[in-house]
Amino acid sequence: MVFNNKLKLCMAAALALALAACTSGAAPKSASSDSPPPGKGKAFNLDPFPSTYRPYPGTPTAIVGATVFDGEGGRIDNGTVLIAEGKIVAIGGADLAVPSGATVVDGKGKWVTPGIIDVHSHLGDYPSPQVKSLSDGNEATAPVTAQVWAEHSVWPQDPGFSRALANGGVTTLQILPGSANLFGGRSVTLKNVYARTMQGMKFPGAPYGLKMACGENPKRVYGGKGREPSTRMGNVAVDRQTWMKAIDYKRKWDKYEEKGGEIPARDVAMDTLAGVLGGEILVHNHCYRADEMAIVLDMAKEFGYHVTAFHHAVEAYKIADLLKASGTCAVVWADWYGFKMESYDGIPENLAILQRAGACVMIHSDDQNGIQRLNQEVAKALASGRRAGIDISDEQAWTWLAINPARALGVADRTGSLKPGKMGDVVLWNGNPFSVYTRPEKVWVDGAMLYDADNPRLRPVSDFELGQPGEGDVK
């Protein structure tokens, strides 16, 4: 009874306050309108699917007597690489002291490199076996699908991951949505390790990417449906309209984070584009023709964002100076061209010409088989350049597989070269890695040996493969 009386008194007091507010003409304020400023980047959870990656256990290891490419253009003959506690400890010549208790690996007649980084892969989103029920890379339902995240389609059981590791020496890779849409969605960077979940593979702290596309793909997909865009001018128009919306969206959230007040409405697609405008999310743009890449660079200036890289970039050699000036990387194939009109004017010297011009350049796969032979793709590009009189050293060419892609993914401070303190992502090749006869012999990820050609027990096999024909095959 005492409790009820107290409750009645509280209710009466609240009612009196409300009536007083109405009488004075002051409308009661909503809770949201009084929200204090949360601070920059704290309005909502920017990382709702955080990495749970933990390195596998490793042992202190010294690889001795090998030819070492450090991934940044350096070379050491008869070199030594020391790995401990998941990190590169030191690299040097034959006189580098090997700590007692370290496992010593004989590298005589072999090569040591940083693990290969592929900035354009669809593994997990278009996994093996290639059947419709597993085809999850393109949300081809609207030209703007910035709201989708590639990581939510990644199937960790894809046998392609282990083939990329064992056959290709790939230790880090970016998984992108497909290129049907102008704004395809967010990409995710993964460590190439076995895990039960996507988050168990997710590269800790790596920035997200935004997949964009220009040219034939969007206009073909949506023009075929009788809707915008159906032309290249339609592509650019939709892009510009979308960036205008993103700027307005970001302005509202910036104001709220700084001054508080009423909380703006969330839009998952605009969250991603606002992240690009704020510099936290990196733009990876599918584009073939030089003229279209130049237009995109101007559009980026118009709306205040930066194009991190053009992917495929078959005609990048025509605008090497523009790419260098804008700090935009060219992500290319060695010799894929001519399979559609926008790829018609490709040349095998593309990569070498870009290198000579001082542009940021690298190789990529965009293919579940090609990712297993990226070292050979670089060998082809290297040979094409040399035949054209562009002299590039082997060790310099390895930057196309290591530090340059690490920079394009925003992780060059942690991987991409054999520098002390960086992740112990290392490959021991059984010969010159630019030979078609050479294969990875051992692969370490964060200092843990995850593949050993001489030890059948160290060949990663996903649960999906168990009991299947070809289980663990690395041919």
Side-chain angles (χ1 to χ4, degrees), residues 183 212 236 239-240 243 247 276-277 283 285 292-310 326 328:
F183 294 83
M212 294 186 66
V236 175
D239 278 341
R240 296 180 70 224
W243 284 119
I247 287 173
V276 171
L277 295 171
V283 172
N285 202 316
E292 290 190 85
M293 287 185 269
I295 288 171
V296 170
L297 290 176
D298 281 343
M299 182 169 63
K301 291 177 185 176
E302 178 185 12
F303 295 105
Y305 69 92
H306 179 250
V307 181
T308 296
F310 286 116
S326 66
T328 297

Side-chain angles (χ1 to χ4, degrees), residues 76-369:
I76 303 172
D77 294 311
N78 193 22
T80 300
V81 177
L82 302 180
I83 313 168
E85 296 183 356
K87 305 290 185 182
I88 304 296
V89 175
I91 68 168
D95 58 346
L96 184 65
V98 176
S100 61
T103 299
V104 177
V105 177
D106 183 6
K108 186 176 181 181
K110 302 171 185 178
W111 268 251
V112 176
T113 71
I116 288 175
I117 300 173
D118 188 3
V119 301
H120 192 119
S121 176
H122 300 292
L123 291 183
D125 280 13
Y126 285 119
S128 302
Q130 287 188 327
V131 295
K132 188 174 182 180
S133 63
L134 291 177
S135 179
D136 292 310
N138 255 319
E139 183 60 37
T141 53
V144 178
T145 57
Q147 70 273 17
V148 303
W149 297 22
E151 64 191 65
H152 298 145
S153 283
V154 169
W155 184 41
Q157 300 294 315
D158 183 359
F161 288 119
S162 63
R163 302 307 188 275
L165 181 83
N167 294 337
V170 174
T171 55
T172 300
L173 62 167
Q174 178 177 222
I175 309 303
L176 293 150
S179 54
N181 302 338
L182 295 169
F183 294 83
R186 289 200 196 195
S187 67
V188 64
T189 298
L190 304 178
K191 301 284 289 189
N192 194 11
V193 298
Y194 173 79
R196 295 176 301 165
T197 66
M198 167 278 299
Q199 288 168 269
M201 303 174 72
K202 200 170 180 179
F203 195 117
Y208 280 110
L210 168 66
K211 172 68 174 292
M212 294 186 66
C214 58
E216 290 184 23
N217 285 16
K219 82 185 194 81
R220 170 180 49 82
V221 171
Y222 294 99
K225 297 178 181 181
R227 58 167 298 183
E228 187 183 37
S230 63
T231 61
R232 282 180 166 83
M233 60 184 174
N235 285 348
V236 175
V238 174
D239 278 341
R240 296 180 70 224
Q241 288 169 346
T242 305
W243 284 119
M244 289 174 189
K245 293 177 183 176
I247 287 173
D248 185 57
Y249 181 82
K250 183 176 184 297
R251 187 181 298 118
K252 292 176 181 177
W253 278 98
D254 286 348
K255 180 180 178 181
Y256 168 70
E257 289 180 342
E258 180 185 353
K259 299 181 178 180
E262 188 170 353
I263 302 175
R266 284 281 303 278
D267 182 314
V268 178
M270 291 296 117
D271 285 348
T272 292
L273 301 190
V276 171
L277 295 171
E280 294 89 23
I281 295 176
L282 310 179
V283 172
H284 294 269
N285 202 316
H286 161 117
C287 214
Y288 288 81
R289 283 181 9 188
D291 59 315
E292 290 190 85
M293 287 185 269
I295 288 171
V296 170
L297 290 176
D298 281 343
M299 182 169 63
K301 291 177 185 176
E302 178 185 12
F303 295 105
Y305 69 92
H306 179 250
V307 181
T308 296
F310 286 116
H311 291 228
H312 311 331
V314 165
E315 293 186 8
Y317 65 94
K318 299 181 180 182
I319 55 165
D321 57 330
L322 299 183
L323 295 173
K324 179 182 178 182
S326 66
T328 297
C329 297
V331 182
V332 304
W333 293 298
D335 54 4
W336 282 19
Y337 65 94
F339 48 89
K340 54 182 175 176
M341 273 309 302
E342 65 183 356
S343 71
Y344 181 80
D345 209 9
I347 59 172
E349 299 85 5
N350 188 19
L351 204 158
I353 290 172
L354 290 161
Q355 175 73 36
R356 182 177 62 182
C360 168
V361 66
M362 67 206 71
I363 206 80
H364 72 316
S365 73
D366 191 26
D367 180 76
Q368 62 182 5
N369 293 312

Side-chain angles (χ1 to χ4, degrees), residues 422-435:
K422 287 194 174 184
M423 294 171 167
D425 298 342
V426 182
V427 182
L428 176 66
W429 303 84
N430 62 10
N432 187 321
F434 294 132
S435 167

